[in-house]
Structures are given as C-alpha cells and as structure tokens.
Amino acid sequence: LWVLFDGGLLTPLHPQPQQTSEAEPGENVVPVPARRSSAQRVKRGWVWNQFFVLEEYMGSEPQYVGKLHSDLDKGVGTVKYTLSGDGAGTVFTIDETTGDIHAIRSLDREEKPFYTLRAQAVDVDTKKPLEPESEFIIKVQDINDNEPKFLDGPYVASVPEMSPVGAYVLQVKATDADDPTYGNSARVVYSILQGQPYFSIDPKTGVIRTALPNMDREVKEQYQVLIQAKDMGGQLGGLAGTTTVNITLTDVNDNPPRFPKSIFHLKVPESSHVGSAIGRIRAVDPDFGKNAAIEYNIVPGDGGNLFEITTDENTQEGVIKLKKPLDFETKKAYTFKVEASNLHLDHRFHSVGPFKDTATVKINVLDMDEPPVFSKPLYTMEVYEDTPVGTIIGAVTAQDLDAGSSSVRYFIDWKNDGNSYFTIDATEGTIATNELLDRESTAQYNFSIIASKVSNPLLTSKVNVIINVLDVNEFPPEISVPYETSVCENAKPGQVIQTITAVDKDLSPAGQKFSFRLSPETSNKPNFTVHDYRNNTAGIETRRHGYSRRQQELHLLPVVIEDSSYPVQSSTNTMTIRVCRCDADGTILSCNVEAIFLPVGLSTGALIAILLCIVILLVIVVLYVALRRQKKKDTLMTSKEDIRDNVIHYDDEGGGEEDTQAFDIGALRNPKVIEDNKIRRDIKPDTLRFPRQRPPAEDNTDIRDFINQRLHENDVDPAAPPYDSLATYAYEGNGSVAESLSSIDSLTTEADQDYDYLSDWGPRFKILADMFGEEES
C-alpha cells in the first residue's frame, strides 16, 4: 500500500474505487480523491483502503499482506509501527521498522471473512505517537474450497400414478459456503445422475418433474433418484455434492375388480345356523386402499333370497351368510350370481370400461343327522291349584325330520326344576302333577323339556314349558288396613265417619266385587250402620244424635265382607269406634278418658299449663313444711340451754352463721340496750336510711307497746331486711292478734288451721299470706 503525504498528519479518507497509480509491482495502491473540498481540513497525510489476503494459503513463507508508511518516516529508523485489533500478533504481524504486514497462518473465509485492525506510528526514542491511531480492514479473499451440500436430504416425495409429463414432484436445494459475490464459486447447477428417463430436474431451480407418461403403480411403485449439485456453474473443475430422492407413485383407481374364476362351488351343512357364514368369495383389484374397496351384491335369482353377502373390510372378501334355515329334504342345491364393484370411481378412467365383475355361486346342501324338532317354540299350560296329584295337564311333541326317522324320548331338565312338581312320560310327552300346588306360594312354573333321538341320544333339543297355576277361591276377603275410627259426641245421624276397603289373598279375577254389611246380631242396634257403595268400598255412618263418652267410650261394630268368586267366601271384621270430643265444626279436640272431667272450652295446652302450675305450688308447700319442721327441731334444742326463758326461736333467712350482730333477746329484758347503736348485718347499708325515733325507755314501759313500735318502724323502713327475712322477738306480749307462734299449742294438723289472719299483718307477711292463704278450688 502506498501512503500519501499531506502536511505531516495522518488522516483517513473514505474508501474510493481502486485506481492505478505509480506503485511497485505487487503492492496495494491507496486511492486518492481527485479534488478536496475547500472547507475540509485534511489532518492526515496517509490513508489506506482495504487489504486483501488469499484464504487457504499453503506457502512456506508468511503471506505478504501490505505495507504501512508515515510521511514523518525519513528512513533513518526513528519511527516505530505498531498493530492492534483482530488477530494482531496471532494472525497478522508487522515489521516495526518497515511497516510490512504478513499473515503468519492459513485463513478460512468461511470461518471469518474479514479482520479489523488499528495502526499506530510512534517515536522510537520518546515512545510518543507521531500520528493519531487509524483503523483499517483486511479481507480474506475467497477460493472455491467448499462443495455444494443438500442440508435437507435425503428427500421423500410422491406423485400420483398415470400423471402427465411435467407433473411436479419436488424441489431440492443445495447450499455452497463459498462467497456468492466473488466469481462462480457458489453458482450451483443441478443434474440427475440416476433416475432417467422417468424424471427430470431444472438445472437452476432444482425442481423435479415426471419425464414419462402413464407410469403405472401396479408395474413399479418405488423410484430412487440421485441428484447432483455442482458449483462453478457446472464447469470442469467445480466441486459437486449429491443427494437421494425416494419417489413413490400413489394409487389411483385405474383398475376394475375381477373375479379369478367365473363359478364358485360351496358345500353347506343343512344344520348351519341362520346368520352364520357359510363361505367366502373374492374379486381381485390391483389398486390400493380405498381404490381397492369392493362392494358385493347378490343378483336376484334362484335361491338368492335365502342368502346374503357382506364385505370383509380387512380382506375385501365377500362373506356369504345364511338368512333362512336349510333343509336337505326340501332342497338340495342353490345357484345365484354375485356382482363385485368398486365403491370409489375415478372419472378419468371411465373409458376403460365398467368397474364391476360378475361370478356364479353354486351351493350344495349336505344332509346331516339333526336333533328332534318340537312342534312349538314354547308351551304354555294351566292347572288349578287344588288339582289332585297325577293329573295330566298337557303334552309336548317332537319329531325326527331326517330321512331315517327315529323315535324320540322326553326328559325334564331337573337343573331348573329341583322341586320336581311335575313329571313327564318319556314316550308320549304328557306332563302330570307330582305334588299338590299352591298358587299363593308359587303362581307360575318355568322349566325345560329335553327331547333326544333313540338312534343317537347325543342329538337333543330343548323347549321351555310355562305352567300357570289358576286360583281357587279359598280365602275370605278382609279389611285392607286396621282403621282407627272415631265419632264426635255431637255427631248427627247419617254422618260418614269412616270409609273402608277390602283385600283378598286369592288372585281376584277381573271385575270381582266385594260386598259389605252389618253382622246379623248387631243389625238391630241403632248406633252405627254400614253403607255399601258397590265399588269395593263402604262407609260407616252414624244412626242417632250424639254419643256420650261417660256412658260408653268405645263401640264395637262387626262388619261382614263377602267376595264374588265361587265358592263365595266371607269374613266378619270387628271395627273399634272411639267417642271423642269435637268442636262445632267437627274437628276432634280430645279422645282421652281424662279429658271427660276437664272444663269445657279449655284447650289441651291450657290444661297442661294449669296442671303444671298446681304441681309447682304443691312442691313449694311441701318444701316449706319440711324446712319448717327442721327449724322447729333445732329451736327446741337451743331452748334447753336457756333456762330463764321458755321461748322458741324461729330462725329467719338473715345473715346466716356469720351474723353475730343479729338481734339480741336480752334487749327485751334491759330497755337500756335500746339506746346502743349496733349495726345489723342483715340490713343493706344505705346512706339514705331514715332515722329511727326511739323514745326513751322507762322501767315501767309496757313491752307490748315497745314491740308494736318496733313493728311499725320495720314496716315503714325501706332499708329493712329483705322480704324473705324474719325478725325474731322472744316476747309476744299479752293478747297478741297473731296469738302464739310456738308449736306447743299448735293444732294437731296444719290442715285444720286458718291462715286468713296473715293478710292483716302487713306487707312483710304478704308472701306467707299467699302461701297459706285460701287455696283455689
């Protein structure tokens, strides 16, 4: 590369098309612009274009790439050239003095097409850059060292048979790794090495097409074509690559079905079952898949109505099946025609002819030793349940239809008739009863009878026999359900109080009627009657005004029920009718015996509530009496310790055992104690207590007046003990209205006492007055 000088500075120029200037042979020349713009200041006096290096260089010496030179280099060794960037030092080296660049190893354009490097000119002594660092590119020049390759091969393709010439098959594509922009190294041309004359290929596009008309799949189905791709435009010296294309001819319906022979002979035993396959025939179609699908049909003719033919989807065979039984003694041979045709037709081949074929089928019936045949497929018999043992109820018949007729023997299949209610005559086939029958136990018997040939006992046939047991009227009718019948006390004559129905254990014939009536011994009583509605139901009706539970709570009504069968059966059914209390609308209120004595007009809930309240009051009274007796006992024990007074203490519900500040009986003996202000623990403390006015007591003060004063103070004092508290006073005074509270002079029984005076004692005794007051009636 020649470097141009301009002002002593290095300035890169834009790459320009290469042009020839004065240079040494074999060196790269840097293009110089023809004219510079006056506004542009050129700061560099040397530039270079791209360098080129040949790939795959195999020489013994390093490959020369180019030369770098600065205008400041006077050739005296003061300038040092350096190289950096892609491959510097490993792929490319530079002579620090001369600036010559060499490639030290072989390069591959397909691996890396170009390298970007940077050059620098520095002073040898000062190590300072003389020029700004500049960048240049070294391109690897391509050679034809890669053959074309089919990346998608080998290929698989298909084309319909009988396709015209030029029918498209497949397009192949080969790629060449060489540079397509340089020379003909990457220009590929396609050709067929193997596969002519059936197929052809376009040299430029690689499209494969058919080259012969009417290629038949039935002749040859698979083709293997070898394709070659050659670079350098196919010229001599180019590299080539190959691939294989496997082409299959797909089937079209171009062949009709054909029977291999015109007559098919079949032999069929006369014992063949209806619906069984008796033979197979086949028409040959060389086509494949749905194009080879064949449909078989029987052409109407002699014997064709006894047979049918279907197609086996797997083998495409015609399966002949039996539609009706065969009988050698009736007809020994049958002949008919079968037609085979394609299901899927191709209109392009209609000119070939009809796609169908016909063959004749001859069937010979073979005589077989057959089992006996019953005259009926099913036997049904009837017998009454009271039939005596040994009575013949019916017979079965079987015959041997073969040419040499044989006798027949009959047997009952005991596997299905383990109870052996019937027997059969082995020769005649008559069936008789073996035990007494009961329709209510078993209404129908179902068993099988076997008939076998005497000449060949292994040949047997079987038939079912159904025996229905007929009913004999032996059970009387009864009321269907146990009715709970009731009648109101205020009932009127003619009211229906119950509708009844009847049932019969016998198997009632259609239209059987039940009749209802009263028993003769009760028909003269006017209480109730039976009204027969003539539809197997009857109504129980009243026959007088009103019924009294106090006089008679239950009424028994015998009803006679008869059936209409022969002989007539009847039964007497007793109905129980209960008298109940009802309201004006006839709604039943109560049917219990206890309800007779309850007040009229109260509901059941109200009566229960009243009884519950009474029970609670009785329990309270009993508890109170028991507690009172317990207190009396304790008081008597306490009184023995105090010899001075003969006073019985009755403890109240005050402060309990901890009440040490309760009232002291000594205050009744010493009036001075009244002045002491002792706190009573059984009184709720209250700052708003009313002050008690206690008059000074004198020695001659009447104790009775004192007690009355205290009673009055407690009555009007809101802070007094609770209502259930009882203040005890040891002295009662003379002439007390309440008299003595001691049990010494009490009456013998508390029931004889009158507690009405308690209501006069004030509000403190209201609870006792309510408890011992006059009891409710």
Side-chain angles (χ1 to χ4, degrees):
L1 174 68
W2 283 100
V3 180
L4 302 181
F5 299 89
D6 184 13
L9 296 178
L10 289 173
T11 302
L13 297 178
H14 293 286
Q16 298 295 330
Q18 291 183 355
Q19 62 183 9
T20 306
S21 63
E22 295 181 358
E24 296 180 0
E27 292 185 348
N28 291 321
V29 179
V30 177
V32 180
R35 182 180 296 178
R36 296 179 180 173
S37 174
S38 60
Q40 180 181 6
R41 181 181 178 183
V42 179
K43 295 184 178 181
R44 293 181 180 178
W46 64 293
V47 295
W48 50 84
N49 202 345
Q50 296 176 344
F51 292 112
F52 292 91
V53 60
L54 194 63
E55 71 167 335
E56 304 294 346
Y57 176 72
M58 304 301 293
S60 59
E61 298 295 332
Q63 184 180 3
Y64 177 76
V65 178
K67 183 181 183 66
L68 299 181
H69 186 74
S70 176
D71 56 355
L72 298 180
D73 186 2
K74 304 302 181 179
V76 294
T78 60
V79 178
K80 178 184 177 180
Y81 297 96
T82 62
L83 194 64
S84 64
D86 291 343
T90 59
V91 179
F92 302 99
T93 60
I94 188 171
D95 189 310
E96 296 180 352
T97 302
T98 63
D100 293 332
I101 301 173
H102 292 82
I104 60 176
R105 68 179 180 85
S106 178
L107 301 179
D108 187 0
R109 189 201 65 83
E110 287 72 34
E111 180 180 349
K112 191 174 180 65
F114 64 91
Y115 295 85
T116 302
L117 297 100
R118 293 181 298 277
Q120 181 76 61
V122 299
D123 188 271
V124 174
D125 296 329
T126 63
K127 305 297 183 183
K128 294 182 179 180
L130 300 176
E131 302 283 349
E133 187 180 56
S134 297
E135 187 177 81
F136 66 97
I137 296 175
I138 299 177
K139 281 191 173 184
V140 182
Q141 187 173 357
D142 183 53
I143 63 172
N144 189 19
D145 59 341
N146 292 280
E147 73 278 3
K149 294 182 180 180
F150 293 92
L151 301 181
D152 298 328
Y155 296 87
V156 176
S158 63
V159 62
E161 63 174 335
M162 298 297 175
S163 296
V165 175
Y168 176 85
V169 178
L170 179 70
Q171 183 179 13
V172 297
K173 183 175 180 60
T175 59
D176 195 322
D178 293 327
D179 189 358
T181 62
Y182 179 76
N184 295 327
S185 299
R187 189 163 69 90
V188 178
V189 174
Y190 300 95
S191 61
I192 294 180
L193 299 182
Q194 176 184 335
Q196 295 94 349
Y198 305 103
F199 301 96
S200 63
I201 188 169
D202 189 300
K204 294 182 179 180
T205 61
V207 174
I208 302 174
R209 300 180 183 274
T210 59
L212 287 180
N214 300 326
M215 287 191 294
D216 194 354
R217 185 196 68 86
E218 288 74 31
V219 176
K220 185 176 182 180
E221 183 178 5
Q222 299 288 340
Y223 295 86
Q224 189 176 69
V225 180
L226 183 62
I227 304 297
Q228 175 185 267
K230 191 175 183 180
D231 59 11
M232 298 299 291
Q235 297 177 4
L236 185 63
L239 302 179
T242 59
T243 187
T244 302
V245 180
N246 296 312
I247 302 176
T248 303
L249 294 182
T250 58
D251 184 64
V252 297
N253 191 11
D254 58 338
N255 295 282
R258 291 289 182 264
F259 284 106
K261 53 184 179 180
S262 60
I263 299 177
F264 291 88
H265 294 276
L266 299 177
K267 294 182 180 180
V268 181
E270 65 172 338
S271 59
S272 298
H273 299 286
V274 174
S276 61
I278 60 175
R280 289 172 175 258
I281 62 175
R282 181 178 181 181
V284 178
D285 191 335
D287 292 326
F288 178 76
K290 68 175 184 178
N291 297 320
I294 301 175
E295 181 182 19
Y296 297 90
N297 293 288
I298 295 178
V299 179
D302 182 25
N305 57 346
L306 268 71
F307 307 93
E308 64 178 355
I309 187 169
T310 59
T311 302
D312 189 329
E313 299 294 338
N314 297 323
T315 63
Q316 293 299 314
E317 292 178 323
V319 182
I320 301 176
K321 296 182 179 180
L322 190 62
K323 290 175 60 177
K324 298 180 181 179
L326 299 177
D327 187 8
F328 176 81
E329 288 73 23
T330 303
K331 192 172 183 178
K332 298 178 176 60
Y334 298 88
T335 302
F336 54 89
K337 290 184 178 182
V338 175
E339 183 182 77
S341 60
N342 281 139
L343 291 176
H344 306 281
L345 301 179
D346 194 332
H347 65 278
R348 296 178 300 172
F349 305 101
H350 286 174
S351 59
V352 178
F355 279 70
K356 63 177 61 177
D357 195 12
T358 305
T360 302
V361 178
K362 290 187 176 181
I363 296 177
N364 295 323
V365 181
L366 301 178
D367 187 22
M368 302 296 294
D369 194 4
E370 299 175 299
V373 178
F374 284 95
S375 59
K376 295 181 180 179
L378 176 67
Y379 290 87
T380 302
M381 305 176 186
E382 294 179 348
V383 59
Y384 283 98
E385 60 180 335
D386 58 351
T387 301
V389 176
T391 303
I392 297 176
I393 60 177
V396 296
T397 303
Q399 294 181 353
D400 181 15
L401 301 180
D402 291 333
S405 180
S406 174
S407 301
V408 178
R409 295 292 180 265
Y410 303 94
F411 309 94
I412 292 180
D413 187 2
W414 297 111
K415 294 180 181 179
N416 299 330
D417 189 24
N419 296 327
S420 64
Y421 286 97
F422 305 94
T423 60
I424 188 170
D425 188 278
T427 304
E428 302 295 333
T430 56
I431 300 174
T433 58
N434 196 34
E435 296 182 12
L436 289 176
L437 305 178
D438 184 10
R439 191 206 65 83
E440 286 70 34
S441 175
T442 304
Q444 187 183 79
Y445 294 89
N446 189 345
F447 56 92
S448 300
I449 293 179
I450 300 174
S452 64
K453 296 173 63 173
V454 176
S455 60
N456 189 358
L458 298 178
L459 293 176
T460 61
S461 57
K462 184 183 294 186
V463 69
N464 286 337
V465 177
I466 297 176
I467 298 180
N468 295 316
V469 181
L470 302 180
D471 183 54
V472 175
N473 192 25
E474 54 184 343
F475 293 98
E478 299 176 350
I479 290 180
S480 58
V481 294
Y483 295 97
E484 295 181 0
T485 308
S486 59
V487 62
C488 295
E489 288 183 318
N490 55 357
K492 298 179 181 179
Q495 290 184 354
V496 179
I497 62 175
Q498 184 68 57
T499 301
I500 60 175
T501 59
V503 294
D504 195 337
K505 293 182 180 179
D506 293 316
L507 180 61
S508 302
Q512 183 177 8
K513 298 292 184 181
F514 296 113
S515 61
F516 303 84
R517 69 174 186 276
L518 283 178
S519 179
E521 61 269 14
T522 59
S523 59
N524 55 353
K525 295 182 180 180
N527 290 334
F528 304 95
T529 185
V530 177
H531 184 194
D532 191 350
Y533 296 140
R534 304 298 180 182
N535 60 354
N536 291 343
T537 61
I540 308 299
E541 298 179 355
T542 58
R543 295 192 59 182
R544 63 185 179 91
H545 284 280
Y547 297 87
S548 176
R549 286 187 295 170
R550 296 184 179 182
Q551 295 179 1
Q552 185 175 356
E553 181 188 4
L554 301 176
H555 295 270
L556 302 179
L557 181 66
V559 178
V560 178
I561 306 176
E562 291 183 352
D563 58 19
S564 59
S565 300
Y566 180 82
V568 176
Q569 299 287 347
S570 64
S571 65
T572 302
N573 302 263
T574 302
M575 297 184 60
T576 302
I577 303 175
R578 184 181 298 275
V579 181
C580 300
R581 182 170 60 87
C582 307
D583 58 10
D585 297 333
T587 303
I588 297 177
L589 299 178
S590 176
C591 293
N592 298 328
V593 180
E594 293 80 7
I596 300 176
F597 306 100
L598 295 177
V600 178
L602 292 178
S603 63
T604 305
L607 296 176
I608 294 176
I610 293 174
L611 292 176
L612 185 61
C613 293
I614 294 174
V615 171
I616 293 174
L617 291 176
L618 290 177
V619 171
I620 293 175
V621 172
V622 171
L623 292 176
Y624 178 81
V625 172
L627 181 63
R628 181 178 179 184
R629 290 182 178 178
Q630 181 68 25
K631 289 182 178 180
K632 287 180 180 180
K633 182 177 180 180
D634 296 339
T635 305
L636 289 175
M637 294 177 62
T638 305
S639 63
K640 294 179 182 180
E641 299 175 358
D642 191 358
I643 305 177
R644 299 173 300 172
D645 302 302
N646 190 14
V647 179
I648 303 302
H649 294 270
Y650 295 91
D651 295 336
D652 57 13
E653 298 180 26
E657 297 180 357
E658 296 181 359
D659 190 5
T660 57
Q661 301 298 330
F663 184 78
D664 188 7
I665 192 62
L668 298 176
R669 297 290 178 257
N670 188 2
K672 294 181 179 181
V673 182
I674 300 174
E675 302 298 332
D676 297 339
N677 186 14
K678 294 183 178 181
I679 300 175
R680 293 182 55 182
R681 297 184 63 182
D682 61 334
I683 298 176
K684 181 175 79 170
D686 192 353
T687 57
L688 300 177
R689 294 179 55 186
F690 293 101
R692 297 184 179 182
Q693 301 292 333
R694 295 186 178 90
E698 299 180 0
D699 295 341
N700 58 354
T701 301
D702 192 354
I703 300 302
R704 181 180 59 189
D705 295 336
F706 171 74
I707 293 175
N708 291 333
Q709 180 65 25
R710 296 297 297 274
L711 286 173
H712 179 71
E713 291 177 1
N714 281 278
D715 289 340
V716 298
D717 188 5
Y723 292 110
D724 57 351
S725 297
L726 178 65
T728 304
Y729 302 94
Y731 185 77
E732 301 182 24
N734 295 328
S736 174
V737 179
E739 298 182 357
S740 176
L741 297 178
S742 174
S743 61
I744 298 176
D745 296 331
S746 300
L747 299 177
T748 57
T749 61
E750 294 180 359
D752 298 332
Q753 300 184 26
D754 185 7
Y755 298 99
D756 293 339
Y757 58 87
L758 294 176
S759 59
D760 300 331
W761 285 16
R764 303 300 181 188
F765 296 90
K766 185 176 182 304
I767 296 177
L768 291 177
D770 294 337
M771 293 175 59
F772 293 89
E774 183 179 359
E775 297 182 359
E776 295 180 2
S777 60

